[in-house]
């Protein structure tokens, strides 16, 4: 767990350093841009995230660590606050496993630098120790923009499992919008 947090902190500082170097050159008069699409902008945007997290099973107290990355987009011109995406995860405790999840989230603006997305995810968890387990459930994601295109995120999911116990999944990391 300490390694995941160290990697996330190092990546966050790296992205923040890139932003500081580019923003010191000139002052931009353009308004702050977030993934909340302005009424005049009708362009599909993409987010790529990289993070670490884990899963906690409240019923048993079991826990695991994981690493994840995702790609999301808002491809529907008539409904820009709707973001859809795919996430890939890799877990290594207590056994090596992977996961693939698809999600749909609605984006809510809180401030010009902070937004909350809530929605639903569905996917599968797989390992070499048996058949895949399918999961689905609600999720909430917060994003805090440290520049026009870079953000720090925190996410939580409640997973309803096809096999085994339901669990609370969480992750933190960094993301870039393009």
């Amino acid at each position: 767990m300490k390694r995941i947090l160290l990697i996330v902190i190092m990546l966050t500082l790296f992205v923040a350093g890139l932003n500081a170097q580019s923003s010191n050159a000139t002052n931009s008069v353009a308004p702050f841009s977030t993934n909340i699409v302005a009424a005049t902008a009708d362009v599909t945007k993409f987010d790529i995230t990289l993070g670490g997290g884990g899963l906690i099973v409240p019923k048993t107290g079991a826990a695991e660590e994981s690493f994840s990355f995702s790609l999301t987009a808002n491809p529907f011109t008539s409904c820009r606050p709707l973001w859809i995406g795919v996430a890939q995860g890799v877990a290594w405790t207590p056994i090596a496993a992977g996961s693939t999840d698809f999600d749909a989230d609605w984006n809510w603006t809180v401030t010009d630098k902070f937004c909350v997305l809530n929605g639903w995810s569905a996917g599968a968890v797989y390992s070499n120790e048996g058949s895949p387990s399918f999961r689905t459930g609600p999720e909430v994601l917060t994003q805090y923009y440290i520049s026009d295109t870079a953000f720090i995120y925190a996410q939580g999911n409640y997973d309803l499992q096809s096999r085994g116990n339901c669990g609370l999944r969480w992750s933190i990391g960094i993301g870039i919008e393009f």
Side-chain angles (χ1 to χ4, degrees):
M1 184 62 194
K2 291 178 185 177
R3 283 181 253 147
I4 292 173
L5 290 175
L6 180 61
I7 290 169
V8 169
I9 290 169
M10 288 175 19
L11 289 171
T12 303
L13 292 173
F14 174 75
V15 171
L18 289 177
N19 179 48
Q21 290 172 1
S22 65
S23 64
N24 288 338
T26 60
N27 281 337
S28 172
V29 293
F32 191 86
S33 171
T34 68
N35 65 357
I36 308 303
V37 181
T40 58
D42 197 23
V43 178
T44 298
K45 292 187 178 182
F46 295 90
D47 283 354
I48 293 179
T49 65
L50 177 64
L55 173 72
I56 300 168
V57 180
K59 188 173 182 180
T60 65
E64 68 179 38
E65 297 172 340
S66 64
F67 170 79
S68 65
F69 62 92
S70 69
L71 173 65
T72 58
N74 64 342
F76 305 112
T77 304
S78 61
C79 191
R80 285 294 179 205
L82 180 62
W83 286 72
I84 59 171
V86 61
Q88 181 64 45
V90 177
W92 55 87
T93 58
I95 61 168
S99 64
T100 304
D101 293 284
F102 298 94
D103 58 59
D105 295 308
W106 193 264
N107 190 333
W108 304 92
T109 302
V110 178
T111 71
D112 63 343
K113 291 186 176 190
F114 183 72
C115 61
V116 176
L117 294 95
N118 66 310
W120 202 266
S121 70
V125 179
Y126 38 86
S127 71
N128 59 359
E129 292 192 355
S131 59
S133 172
F134 297 97
R135 65 184 180 193
T136 187
E139 67 181 8
V140 64
L141 170 75
T142 60
Q143 295 176 332
Y144 179 77
Y145 280 78
I146 56 177
S147 77
D148 287 351
T149 58
F151 57 88
I152 300 168
Y153 79 91
Q155 181 174 351
N157 297 63
Y158 182 74
D159 292 331
L160 305 166
Q161 298 278 350
S162 65
R163 287 185 300 115
N165 295 311
C166 299
L168 300 170
R169 188 167 29 117
W170 60 274
S171 62
I172 57 172
I174 60 171
I176 297 175
E177 180 179 283
F178 59 98

